[in-house]
Amino acid sequence: MKKYLLASLLALLAFVGKAQEDNSDIVKVGDTMPSFTIVSDNGSKLQSASLKGKVILVNFFATWCPPCQKELAAVQQTLWPKYKNNKDFVLLVIGREHSDADLQKYNEKKGFDFPLYPDKDRAIFGAFAKNLIPRGYLVGKDGKIIYTSKGYTDEEFAELMTKIEGALK
């Protein structure tokens, strides 16, 4: 009887796990990067269409998110110094639900030397995903997503670095 009860419980847990699968992705590996426009507080615009032919890392974060802080520290320490002068690489670190003023204040504390871009109303984020940050999307020169990440681990960041290197070859 205990065996049947245990088997039933395991089956139920598997079913519940399936029902709660992460469906937060809108964009997946192999998809074309959604088009978007970053609008700064001063009205200046950066259109994704202007980045064609480049390797692009789109990173979504929030100033209050602890895993985001770890990821951005790794970007500052490792990724940005390696790729900031590469004409074929673009880094878009986008603050979900943040204005330029929010990001400027945040950056005064953190001292990042890579640009931070606003997404006040989640319009850009909403084209990529439904929820969960930090998120990263690596886009190849052909405009297709070649790597995605959710959350932050050192191992995943190392894999991202390898993917960037490969995409730039």
Side-chain angles (χ1 to χ4, degrees), residues 1-13:
M1 181 73 171
K2 286 183 182 179
K3 287 181 187 177
Y4 296 115
L5 184 58
L6 182 59
S8 297
L9 181 60
L10 289 175
L12 178 63
L13 288 174

Side-chain angles (χ1 to χ4, degrees), residues 25-136:
D25 292 317
I26 293 172
V27 176
K28 296 176 178 56
V29 170
D31 291 349
T32 300
M33 179 179 75
S35 63
F36 57 87
T37 302
I38 298 171
V39 181
S40 294
D41 291 351
N42 66 7
S44 66
K45 296 178 181 180
L46 172 64
Q47 295 181 322
S48 60
S50 70
L51 306 175
K52 284 187 179 181
K54 303 209 181 265
V55 173
I56 306 162
L57 176 59
V58 180
N59 176 276
F60 293 102
F61 82 102
T63 61
W64 50 262
C65 163
C68 299
Q69 308 316 305
K70 289 181 182 178
E71 184 171 52
L72 293 182
V75 167
Q76 175 68 33
Q77 184 178 12
T78 307
L79 188 149
W80 189 236
K82 184 169 184 173
Y83 296 113
K84 69 181 176 183
N85 295 319
N86 189 316
K87 64 180 178 39
D88 294 324
F89 180 76
V90 176
L91 175 64
L92 298 176
V93 179
I94 301 173
R96 188 184 79 175
E97 298 178 6
H98 293 299
S99 67
D100 281 320
D102 296 335
L103 298 175
Q104 183 178 357
K105 187 175 178 182
Y106 171 73
N107 203 24
E108 286 170 6
K109 281 192 231 172
K110 297 295 184 177
F112 297 135
D113 64 357
F114 50 84
L116 302 174
Y117 299 94
D119 185 19
K120 289 185 267 194
D121 58 4
R122 288 174 81 143
I124 301 165
F125 181 81
F128 285 82
K130 295 176 185 172
N131 55 35
L132 302 177
I133 52 173
R135 280 186 177 268

